[in-house]
Amino acid sequence: MDSPGHARGNANGMDGEMRQLKELQASREELLNRVHGLKSELQDWRYKMDSQVKNYRGELSSLKETLGSEVAALRRELEETSERLKKNIVKHDVHGKIAGAN
């Protein structure tokens, strides 16, 4: 049989182990809470980043359309200017030949 001193030692040992177990459980809960908090922050961050990416893609698409329209307008303008220059050159050559013939 166990002596009374031995029983007290076991009780003190059990109390110490219970205290350690409680501390470990508290520590575990704290870590789990931190992990859940970090997961939540990460999800928020991802949502914000996704929103920003969507906005930037929309802006880029709009800018591409605008740029395409402006390039097309510049090409038309260049072509019109080229045609006017060609007509003026032809007129100038015709007038020069007519004046030279007189």
Side-chain angles (χ1 to χ4, degrees):
M1 291 211 156
D2 290 332
S3 68
H6 185 67
R8 255 186 269 129
N10 277 346
N12 287 339
M14 290 292 282
D15 287 345
E17 287 178 6
M18 291 299 289
R19 210 175 17 248
Q20 277 185 329
L21 184 60
K22 286 180 182 178
E23 288 174 7
L24 289 172
Q25 285 175 336
S27 177
R28 180 180 180 265
E29 285 181 37
E30 182 182 329
L31 289 172
L32 284 173
N33 288 336
R34 286 178 62 193
V35 166
H36 288 301
L38 290 171
K39 275 179 141 179
S40 179
E41 286 179 32
L42 179 61
Q43 286 173 340
D44 290 345
W45 181 81
R46 277 184 171 168
Y47 176 77
K48 288 176 185 175
M49 295 310 302
D50 286 345
S51 295
Q52 283 183 334
V53 166
K54 284 179 185 176
N55 287 339
Y56 291 149
R57 283 184 177 160
E59 288 177 24
L60 278 174
S61 178
S62 176
L63 288 171
K64 280 182 180 180
E65 284 181 29
T66 302
L67 182 62
S69 297
E70 289 181 12
V71 166
L74 285 170
R75 284 186 176 141
R76 284 191 302 274
E77 190 178 324
L78 179 63
E79 212 160 293
E80 290 169 2
T81 303
S82 177
E83 290 299 318
R84 274 195 307 253
L85 284 172
K86 287 177 186 176
K87 287 178 184 177
N88 284 339
I89 290 171
V90 169
K91 276 186 190 177
H92 182 68
D93 286 348
V94 169
H95 286 328
K97 290 180 182 178
I98 293 173
N102 288 334

